[in-house]
Amino acid sequence: MSTPEPSGHFDVPPPPPAPPAQLPGLELRVSKRLLWVGGACYPLANIARVYTLTIHPRRKEAVLRFLRTFLITGAVALTLTVLSGITMVADRDTGSGLMTFVWLGSVGVVVYALVEMVQVLGAQSHYVMAVETSGPSQAVVTSRDPHFLNQTVGQIAHAIEHPDAEFQVRVESITINPQHYYFGDNVNMYGGIGNVGMAGA
């Protein structure tokens, strides 16, 4: 009796599962009595208030600021133009060069103010969660899902009252200019000069 030939088919173990993909954005977590928002750290003992609010662009102020800049720049340009005309009586080349410089500078200022106004008018409102500390440091995160932020407020409040509590969520970051938004009762935001980092779910 002959032994059967091996069929060449062997049971191969399944491949290991693929590692989880690294999600974009930054991490918001509570660990060892510290709240981490990306690379910024806030001791839970120093947190004075956590709450949600909707920030809106300062559209009215942006329009008024542009009109004020336009009027002031126009008045200064006209005044300097008159002075340039007087200078041209004594020295035509100097007066002409000064007038050109004045009007080029004025146009540049008005264009800059116009661009800034358009940015504010086109900006969107954001539903955010603010974390205020007893010191000057503050953080703000935002999300398209209000329930996520409300839930996170509850998690942070629970962690403040329970020293052993820990949690972690993933958030995405955006950048806005705090001068372009209403922040309720003077909410400040962490970040660099002029622009601040915000995070969103």
Side-chain angles (χ1 to χ4, degrees):
M1 182 173 180
S2 61
T3 58
E5 292 290 330
S7 63
H9 175 72
F10 300 96
D11 291 333
V12 179
Q22 182 65 35
L23 297 175
L26 52 90
E27 194 176 66
L28 186 149
R29 63 186 170 93
V30 167
S31 177
K32 298 181 180 179
R33 305 297 296 155
L34 297 174
L35 170 64
W36 291 88
V37 182
C41 176
Y42 305 88
L44 290 178
N46 290 349
I47 293 179
R49 183 167 64 149
V50 184
Y51 61 103
T52 55
L53 73 157
T54 301
I55 58 173
H56 302 282
R58 298 176 178 266
R59 295 187 175 96
K60 180 180 177 181
E61 285 82 351
V63 173
L64 294 176
R65 184 167 55 247
F66 170 76
L67 293 176
R68 184 170 59 249
T69 301
F70 180 81
L71 293 175
I72 292 174
T73 303
V76 171
L78 289 175
T79 301
L80 293 178
T81 298
V82 172
L83 295 176
S84 299
I86 296 173
T87 304
M88 288 180 66
V89 174
D91 187 343
R92 189 172 187 84
D93 291 338
T94 301
S96 178
L98 179 59
M99 190 177 299
T100 301
F101 174 78
V102 166
W103 283 102
L104 286 177
S106 300
V107 170
V109 170
V110 171
V111 169
Y112 178 83
L114 178 63
V115 170
E116 188 175 52
M117 180 186 69
V118 170
Q119 288 178 341
V120 177
L121 294 179
Q124 297 179 348
S125 298
H126 298 281
Y127 188 74
V128 302
M129 180 189 75
V131 179
E132 297 181 359
T133 69
S134 55
S137 299
Q138 296 176 332
V140 172
V141 297
T142 187
S143 173
R144 291 183 293 263
D145 180 10
H147 177 70
F148 168 80
L149 293 183
N150 296 334
Q151 189 177 43
T152 305
V153 169
Q155 288 179 298
I156 294 176
H158 180 268
I160 292 174
E161 296 181 351
H162 298 82
D164 58 339
E166 296 188 358
F167 73 91
Q168 175 180 329
V169 293
R170 196 75 185 175
V171 294
E172 298 174 3
S173 62
I174 62 173
T175 302
I176 67 169
N177 188 330
Q179 296 178 350
H180 294 172
Y181 282 85
Y182 295 109
F183 291 109
D185 45 359
N186 298 323
V187 176
N188 294 320
M189 308 172 80
Y190 72 92
I193 298 174
N195 291 330
V196 285
M198 293 179 61

